[in-house]
Amino acid sequence: MIRSPRRRTMPMAGAALAVLTLTLAACASPPSSFYTLTDVTGTAAPGSIAATGATAPATPYAIEVSPVAVPEQVDRPQIVVTRGGGRVDILEESRWAAPLKNELTSTISRDLTQRLGAMDVYGLPRADGLTVYRVSTSVQRFESAPGEQAALTAVWSVRRVPGDIVLTCRFAGTEPASGGVAEVVAAQRKLVDRLADGIGNAITTSAQGTTPRCQS
């Protein structure tokens, strides 16, 4: 009786697996890029909060930066960019390093603590008698248009505790963004720094015993 030779199935299975692996690799999504509004380079423009914060003396008061409110349209991990005709794109490969509301809150907190030399005691117990300036911010417009501009509109208030509301103001600004996502994020970072500048000036003025005013 003549036996038929065994079929070599293992090499064929291995070849099929290799082809499948290459196909899946070709279809895999590109890696995501992550962005932050915080200046991680340690550099800043002259006269800005980050530039003056290194020499700011310790203050006899603290600040309390409450979580920033942001519009639902941009409150997502992906960066949302504005196109013409009212169209927006949600960029799956371009994401915030943290939720946008956290990015805004931490950037404002960092800017103020550096500029003022004050601690941010939000959510922490504090000694009785310590004056605290409570900062509340509500972003109404956060638009990013790569190759065009970034736009930020926000209403913010400062309340002295114990005490009353010191000031409530509206900030509205734009910055050119000639480039891609990285450039428009850098433009948004400049706008947040400008927003924090106004808040910091109000706190400093109030702490000096003078009534602050909204900046134009």
Side-chain angles (χ1 to χ4, degrees), residues 54-76:
T55 57
T59 60
Y61 58 83
I63 62 173
E64 187 178 275
V65 180
S66 301
V68 175
V70 298
E72 292 184 3
Q73 293 90 335
V74 294
D75 187 19
R76 59 182 68 244

Side-chain angles (χ1 to χ4, degrees), residues 36-39 49-50 63-70 100-120 122 133-139 142 152-158 171 188-201 203:
T36 179
L37 290 172
T38 302
D39 181 13
I49 280 179
I63 62 173
E64 187 178 275
V65 180
S66 301
V68 175
V70 298
L100 181 56
K101 62 179 64 177
N102 294 357
E103 285 283 337
L104 290 164
T105 304
S106 61
T107 301
I108 293 173
S109 173
R110 182 175 183 269
D111 285 352
L112 292 177
T113 55
Q114 287 189 341
R115 181 186 194 277
L116 303 174
M119 297 183 297
D120 185 353
Y122 177 80
Y133 285 92
R134 183 172 297 162
V135 178
S136 299
T137 308
S138 176
V139 171
F142 189 93
L152 175 65
T153 301
V155 175
W156 59 268
S157 67
V158 173
F171 170 86
Q188 287 288 7
R189 186 181 304 122
K190 291 180 181 179
L191 289 171
V192 178
D193 289 342
R194 286 168 52 189
L195 168 64
D197 274 329
I199 298 172
N201 288 336
I203 294 174

Side-chain angles (χ1 to χ4, degrees), residues 3-30:
R3 296 181 179 179
S4 59
R6 295 181 179 179
R7 295 181 179 178
R8 296 182 179 180
T9 58
M10 292 301 295
M12 295 180 61
L17 180 60
V19 172
L20 178 60
T21 301
L22 291 174
T23 303
L24 291 176
C27 297
S29 300

Side-chain angles (χ1 to χ4, degrees), residues 168-189:
T168 298
C169 297
R170 180 178 182 270
F171 170 86
T174 59
E175 285 283 344
S178 58
V181 175
E183 287 73 20
V184 80
V185 169
Q188 287 288 7
R189 186 181 304 122

